[in-house]
Amino acid sequence: MKISVDTHELARTSADWIAIPLTQNERSAPRLPARIAQLDENLGGCIRASLERNGFEGRRNEKLAIFPPTARTRRAPGRCILLVGLGKTAKLDSETLRQAAGTAVRHTTSKKARTLAIAVPSLGRIKPAPAAQALAEGAILGNYRFD
């Protein structure tokens, strides 16, 4: 497994899958951060529509796979989107991020993905560097196979 950190926009990634961790809102579907909303706009609004249609709430380790229509023509970034729930913001910690990354890796590996981009969520409680570290650790642990 090769892990790299990149700071470009998600709309420019060439990964097979894009995993997007989202926190749970108290009374509604998860809110899309600005950079995820921009990706959603590039994909024709399919992320927001899938959130509303499928009832994704952002509960811890909840997941929702989205297959954008434009991804089939390869004009859009990635082939598929995987939303992964982080649970309530008040209970968010590094372990939650590790579990979310592990969930994303296990799901995409089972779908024969060769590359996965995980968006580092903008969280006030956890700074970007420790969040990226926790996501990388979770990805490694999620990829572990005992054989």
Side-chain angles (χ1 to χ4, degrees), residues 93-135:
D93 58 6
S94 294
E95 183 57 27
T96 304
L97 293 175
R98 280 186 204 91
Q99 288 180 9
T103 297
V105 167
R106 282 188 301 278
H107 180 83
T108 57
T109 300
S110 73
K111 303 297 183 196
K112 309 289 189 237
R114 298 188 66 179
T115 55
L116 167 66
I118 302 176
V120 178
S122 301
L123 307 167
R125 298 182 53 148
I126 303 172
K127 300 292 181 206
Q133 179 179 342
L135 289 169

Short mmCIF file of all heavy atoms in Angstrom, two decimals, residues 93-135:
data_model
loop_
_atom_site.label_atom_id
_atom_site.label_comp_id
_atom_site.label_asym_id
_atom_site.label_seq_id
_atom_site.Cartn_x
_atom_site.Cartn_y
_atom_site.Cartn_z
N ASP A 93 -13.01 11.91 17.54
CA ASP A 93 -11.61 11.83 17.95
C ASP A 93 -10.81 11.11 16.88
O ASP A 93 -11.34 10.72 15.84
CB ASP A 93 -11.48 11.13 19.31
CG ASP A 93 -12.04 9.71 19.32
OD1 ASP A 93 -12.43 9.21 18.24
OD2 ASP A 93 -12.08 9.11 20.39
N SER A 94 -9.52 10.94 17.12
CA SER A 94 -8.64 10.29 16.14
C SER A 94 -9.07 8.86 15.85
O SER A 94 -8.96 8.39 14.72
CB SER A 94 -7.19 10.32 16.63
OG SER A 94 -6.72 11.63 16.68
N GLU A 95 -9.54 8.17 16.86
CA GLU A 95 -9.97 6.78 16.66
C GLU A 95 -11.16 6.70 15.70
O GLU A 95 -11.25 5.79 14.88
CB GLU A 95 -10.33 6.12 18.00
CG GLU A 95 -10.72 4.66 17.88
CD GLU A 95 -9.66 3.78 17.23
OE1 GLU A 95 -8.46 4.09 17.31
OE2 GLU A 95 -10.05 2.77 16.60
N THR A 96 -12.05 7.67 15.77
CA THR A 96 -13.18 7.72 14.84
C THR A 96 -12.68 7.85 13.41
O THR A 96 -13.19 7.19 12.50
CB THR A 96 -14.11 8.90 15.19
OG1 THR A 96 -14.52 8.79 16.55
CG2 THR A 96 -15.33 8.94 14.29
N LEU A 97 -11.67 8.70 13.21
CA LEU A 97 -11.10 8.88 11.86
C LEU A 97 -10.43 7.60 11.39
O LEU A 97 -10.54 7.22 10.23
CB LEU A 97 -10.12 10.05 11.85
CG LEU A 97 -10.73 11.43 12.07
CD1 LEU A 97 -9.65 12.49 12.14
CD2 LEU A 97 -11.73 11.75 10.97
N ARG A 98 -9.71 6.92 12.30
CA ARG A 98 -9.08 5.64 11.94
C ARG A 98 -10.13 4.63 11.48
O ARG A 98 -9.95 3.95 10.47
CB ARG A 98 -8.30 5.06 13.12
CG ARG A 98 -6.96 5.68 13.32
CD ARG A 98 -6.17 4.96 14.44
NE ARG A 98 -5.21 5.88 14.97
CZ ARG A 98 -5.41 6.70 16.00
NH1 ARG A 98 -6.54 6.66 16.67
NH2 ARG A 98 -4.47 7.53 16.39
N GLN A 99 -11.21 4.54 12.22
CA GLN A 99 -12.27 3.59 11.87
C GLN A 99 -12.91 3.96 10.54
O GLN A 99 -13.22 3.08 9.72
CB GLN A 99 -13.33 3.53 12.97
CG GLN A 99 -12.84 2.82 14.21
CD GLN A 99 -13.91 2.78 15.28
OE1 GLN A 99 -15.06 3.13 15.06
NE2 GLN A 99 -13.52 2.34 16.47
N ALA A 100 -13.10 5.24 10.29
CA ALA A 100 -13.71 5.68 9.03
C ALA A 100 -12.81 5.32 7.85
O ALA A 100 -13.29 4.82 6.82
CB ALA A 100 -13.96 7.19 9.06
N ALA A 101 -11.50 5.54 7.99
CA ALA A 101 -10.57 5.19 6.91
C ALA A 101 -10.54 3.68 6.70
O ALA A 101 -10.52 3.21 5.56
CB ALA A 101 -9.18 5.72 7.23
N GLY A 102 -10.54 2.92 7.79
CA GLY A 102 -10.57 1.46 7.68
C GLY A 102 -11.82 0.98 6.98
O GLY A 102 -11.78 0.09 6.12
N THR A 103 -12.95 1.58 7.31
CA THR A 103 -14.22 1.25 6.66
C THR A 103 -14.14 1.54 5.16
O THR A 103 -14.56 0.72 4.33
CB THR A 103 -15.38 2.06 7.29
OG1 THR A 103 -15.51 1.67 8.66
CG2 THR A 103 -16.69 1.84 6.57
N ALA A 104 -13.58 2.69 4.81
CA ALA A 104 -13.46 3.07 3.39
C ALA A 104 -12.55 2.10 2.64
O ALA A 104 -12.88 1.66 1.53
CB ALA A 104 -12.93 4.49 3.27
N VAL A 105 -11.42 1.75 3.23
CA VAL A 105 -10.48 0.85 2.56
C VAL A 105 -11.08 -0.54 2.39
O VAL A 105 -10.99 -1.14 1.32
CB VAL A 105 -9.13 0.79 3.32
CG1 VAL A 105 -8.27 -0.36 2.84
CG2 VAL A 105 -8.39 2.10 3.18
N ARG A 106 -11.71 -1.05 3.43
CA ARG A 106 -12.32 -2.39 3.32
C ARG A 106 -13.41 -2.41 2.25
O ARG A 106 -13.50 -3.35 1.45
CB ARG A 106 -12.88 -2.84 4.67
CG ARG A 106 -11.80 -3.33 5.62
CD ARG A 106 -12.39 -3.95 6.87
NE ARG A 106 -13.24 -3.04 7.63
CZ ARG A 106 -12.80 -2.13 8.49
NH1 ARG A 106 -11.50 -2.01 8.72
NH2 ARG A 106 -13.63 -1.35 9.14
N HIS A 107 -14.24 -1.36 2.21
CA HIS A 107 -15.32 -1.32 1.23
C HIS A 107 -14.76 -1.24 -0.20
O HIS A 107 -15.19 -2.00 -1.07
CB HIS A 107 -16.23 -0.11 1.48
CG HIS A 107 -17.35 -0.01 0.50
ND1 HIS A 107 -18.52 -0.72 0.65
CD2 HIS A 107 -17.47 0.68 -0.65
CE1 HIS A 107 -19.32 -0.46 -0.38
NE2 HIS A 107 -18.70 0.40 -1.17
N THR A 108 -13.83 -0.33 -0.43
CA THR A 108 -13.31 -0.15 -1.78
C THR A 108 -12.45 -1.32 -2.23
O THR A 108 -12.45 -1.67 -3.40
CB THR A 108 -12.55 1.18 -1.91
OG1 THR A 108 -11.49 1.22 -0.95
CG2 THR A 108 -13.48 2.36 -1.71
N THR A 109 -11.75 -1.95 -1.30
CA THR A 109 -10.96 -3.13 -1.64
C THR A 109 -11.88 -4.26 -2.09
O THR A 109 -11.58 -4.98 -3.04
CB THR A 109 -10.10 -3.59 -0.44
OG1 THR A 109 -9.22 -2.52 -0.09
CG2 THR A 109 -9.28 -4.81 -0.78
N SER A 110 -13.01 -4.41 -1.41
CA SER A 110 -13.96 -5.46 -1.79
C SER A 110 -14.55 -5.20 -3.17
O SER A 110 -15.05 -6.11 -3.82
CB SER A 110 -15.07 -5.58 -0.75
OG SER A 110 -15.97 -4.50 -0.84
N LYS A 111 -14.49 -3.95 -3.62
CA LYS A 111 -15.01 -3.58 -4.95
C LYS A 111 -13.89 -3.55 -5.99
O LYS A 111 -14.07 -3.03 -7.08
CB LYS A 111 -15.69 -2.21 -4.90
CG LYS A 111 -16.81 -2.12 -3.90
CD LYS A 111 -17.93 -3.05 -4.24
CE LYS A 111 -19.07 -2.87 -3.24
NZ LYS A 111 -20.00 -3.96 -3.26
N LYS A 112 -12.72 -4.06 -5.63
CA LYS A 112 -11.57 -4.16 -6.54
C LYS A 112 -10.99 -2.82 -6.96
O LYS A 112 -10.44 -2.67 -8.05
CB LYS A 112 -11.92 -4.97 -7.80
CG LYS A 112 -12.55 -6.31 -7.52
CD LYS A 112 -11.55 -7.28 -6.95
CE LYS A 112 -12.14 -8.67 -6.88
NZ LYS A 112 -12.14 -9.26 -5.59
N ALA A 113 -11.10 -1.82 -6.09
CA ALA A 113 -10.52 -0.51 -6.38
C ALA A 113 -9.00 -0.58 -6.34
O ALA A 113 -8.43 -1.28 -5.50
CB ALA A 113 -11.01 0.52 -5.37
N ARG A 114 -8.37 0.13 -7.22
CA ARG A 114 -6.90 0.18 -7.22
C ARG A 114 -6.40 1.42 -6.49
O ARG A 114 -5.32 1.39 -5.92
CB ARG A 114 -6.39 0.18 -8.65
CG ARG A 114 -6.79 -1.11 -9.38
CD ARG A 114 -6.14 -1.21 -10.69
NE ARG A 114 -4.70 -1.35 -10.42
CZ ARG A 114 -3.80 -1.48 -11.36
NH1 ARG A 114 -4.16 -1.49 -12.60
NH2 ARG A 114 -2.53 -1.59 -11.06
N THR A 115 -7.17 2.51 -6.53
CA THR A 115 -6.78 3.74 -5.85
C THR A 115 -7.96 4.31 -5.09
O THR A 115 -9.10 4.19 -5.51
CB THR A 115 -6.26 4.79 -6.86
OG1 THR A 115 -7.24 5.01 -7.86
CG2 THR A 115 -4.95 4.34 -7.51
N LEU A 116 -7.63 4.96 -3.98
CA LEU A 116 -8.64 5.57 -3.11
C LEU A 116 -8.11 6.90 -2.62
O LEU A 116 -6.99 6.97 -2.12
CB LEU A 116 -8.94 4.65 -1.92
CG LEU A 116 -9.74 5.25 -0.76
CD1 LEU A 116 -11.17 5.58 -1.20
CD2 LEU A 116 -9.76 4.28 0.42
N ALA A 117 -8.90 7.94 -2.77
CA ALA A 117 -8.58 9.25 -2.19
C ALA A 117 -9.52 9.45 -1.01
O ALA A 117 -10.73 9.25 -1.14
CB ALA A 117 -8.77 10.36 -3.22
N ILE A 118 -8.96 9.82 0.13
CA ILE A 118 -9.78 10.10 1.31
C ILE A 118 -9.67 11.58 1.60
O ILE A 118 -8.57 12.09 1.82
CB ILE A 118 -9.33 9.28 2.54
CG1 ILE A 118 -9.38 7.79 2.24
CG2 ILE A 118 -10.21 9.61 3.74
CD1 ILE A 118 -8.85 6.91 3.37
N ALA A 119 -10.79 12.26 1.61
CA ALA A 119 -10.80 13.69 1.91
C ALA A 119 -10.59 13.87 3.41
O ALA A 119 -11.27 13.24 4.22
CB ALA A 119 -12.13 14.30 1.49
N VAL A 120 -9.64 14.72 3.78
CA VAL A 120 -9.42 15.02 5.20
C VAL A 120 -10.47 16.04 5.60
O VAL A 120 -10.52 17.14 5.05
CB VAL A 120 -8.00 15.57 5.45
CG1 VAL A 120 -7.80 15.93 6.91
CG2 VAL A 120 -6.95 14.56 4.99
N PRO A 121 -11.34 15.67 6.54
CA PRO A 121 -12.41 16.60 6.92
C PRO A 121 -11.86 17.81 7.66
O PRO A 121 -10.85 17.72 8.35
CB PRO A 121 -13.31 15.75 7.83
CG PRO A 121 -12.43 14.66 8.33
CD PRO A 121 -11.39 14.42 7.28
N SER A 122 -12.51 18.94 7.49
CA SER A 122 -12.16 20.16 8.22
C SER A 122 -12.86 20.10 9.57
O SER A 122 -14.07 20.28 9.65
CB SER A 122 -12.60 21.40 7.45
OG SER A 122 -11.98 21.43 6.20
N LEU A 123 -12.09 19.85 10.60
CA LEU A 123 -12.66 19.69 11.93
C LEU A 123 -11.96 20.65 12.89
O LEU A 123 -10.74 20.73 12.91
CB LEU A 123 -12.46 18.25 12.42
CG LEU A 123 -12.95 17.16 11.47
CD1 LEU A 123 -12.42 15.81 11.89
CD2 LEU A 123 -14.46 17.16 11.45
N GLY A 124 -12.72 21.35 13.68
CA GLY A 124 -12.13 22.27 14.65
C GLY A 124 -11.43 21.54 15.78
O GLY A 124 -10.45 22.02 16.33
N ARG A 125 -11.93 20.37 16.12
CA ARG A 125 -11.39 19.63 17.27
C ARG A 125 -10.06 18.96 16.98
O ARG A 125 -9.24 18.80 17.85
CB ARG A 125 -12.39 18.57 17.70
CG ARG A 125 -13.72 19.13 18.15
CD ARG A 125 -14.59 18.02 18.59
NE ARG A 125 -13.84 17.26 19.59
CZ ARG A 125 -14.36 16.64 20.60
NH1 ARG A 125 -15.64 16.63 20.75
NH2 ARG A 125 -13.62 15.99 21.46
N ILE A 126 -9.87 18.51 15.75
CA ILE A 126 -8.65 17.81 15.38
C ILE A 126 -7.99 18.58 14.25
O ILE A 126 -8.60 18.84 13.21
CB ILE A 126 -8.96 16.36 14.92
CG1 ILE A 126 -9.71 15.62 16.02
CG2 ILE A 126 -7.68 15.63 14.56
CD1 ILE A 126 -10.22 14.26 15.60
N LYS A 127 -6.74 18.93 14.44
CA LYS A 127 -6.00 19.69 13.43
C LYS A 127 -5.76 18.82 12.19
O LYS A 127 -5.77 17.59 12.27
CB LYS A 127 -4.67 20.16 14.01
CG LYS A 127 -4.83 21.06 15.21
CD LYS A 127 -5.44 22.36 14.81
CE LYS A 127 -5.57 23.26 16.03
NZ LYS A 127 -6.62 24.21 15.89
N PRO A 128 -5.50 19.43 11.03
CA PRO A 128 -5.35 18.67 9.78
C PRO A 128 -4.23 17.61 9.82
O PRO A 128 -4.43 16.51 9.32
CB PRO A 128 -5.05 19.75 8.74
CG PRO A 128 -5.67 20.98 9.29
CD PRO A 128 -5.53 20.88 10.78
N ALA A 129 -3.07 17.93 10.38
CA ALA A 129 -1.96 16.96 10.37
C ALA A 129 -2.30 15.71 11.19
O ALA A 129 -2.14 14.59 10.69
CB ALA A 129 -0.67 17.61 10.86
N PRO A 130 -2.78 15.83 12.44
CA PRO A 130 -3.17 14.63 13.17
C PRO A 130 -4.35 13.89 12.52
O PRO A 130 -4.44 12.67 12.59
CB PRO A 130 -3.56 15.13 14.56
CG PRO A 130 -2.90 16.46 14.70
CD PRO A 130 -2.81 17.01 13.30
N ALA A 131 -5.26 14.63 11.88
CA ALA A 131 -6.39 13.99 11.19
C ALA A 131 -5.87 13.16 10.03
O ALA A 131 -6.29 12.01 9.84
CB ALA A 131 -7.38 15.05 10.70
N ALA A 132 -4.94 13.71 9.25
CA ALA A 132 -4.37 12.97 8.12
C ALA A 132 -3.61 11.74 8.62
O ALA A 132 -3.69 10.67 8.01
CB ALA A 132 -3.45 13.87 7.31
N GLN A 133 -2.90 11.88 9.72
CA GLN A 133 -2.17 10.75 10.29
C GLN A 133 -3.14 9.65 10.72
O GLN A 133 -2.92 8.47 10.43
CB GLN A 133 -1.32 11.17 11.49
CG GLN A 133 -0.58 10.02 12.12
CD GLN A 133 0.28 10.44 13.29
OE1 GLN A 133 0.61 11.61 13.45
NE2 GLN A 133 0.65 9.49 14.11
N ALA A 134 -4.22 10.01 11.38
CA ALA A 134 -5.20 9.03 11.83
C ALA A 134 -5.85 8.33 10.64
O ALA A 134 -6.07 7.11 10.66
CB ALA A 134 -6.27 9.70 12.70
N LEU A 135 -6.13 9.08 9.57
CA LEU A 135 -6.71 8.48 8.37
C LEU A 135 -5.73 7.50 7.72
O LEU A 135 -6.13 6.42 7.27
CB LEU A 135 -7.13 9.56 7.38
CG LEU A 135 -8.35 10.40 7.79
CD1 LEU A 135 -8.50 11.59 6.87
CD2 LEU A 135 -9.61 9.56 7.81
#
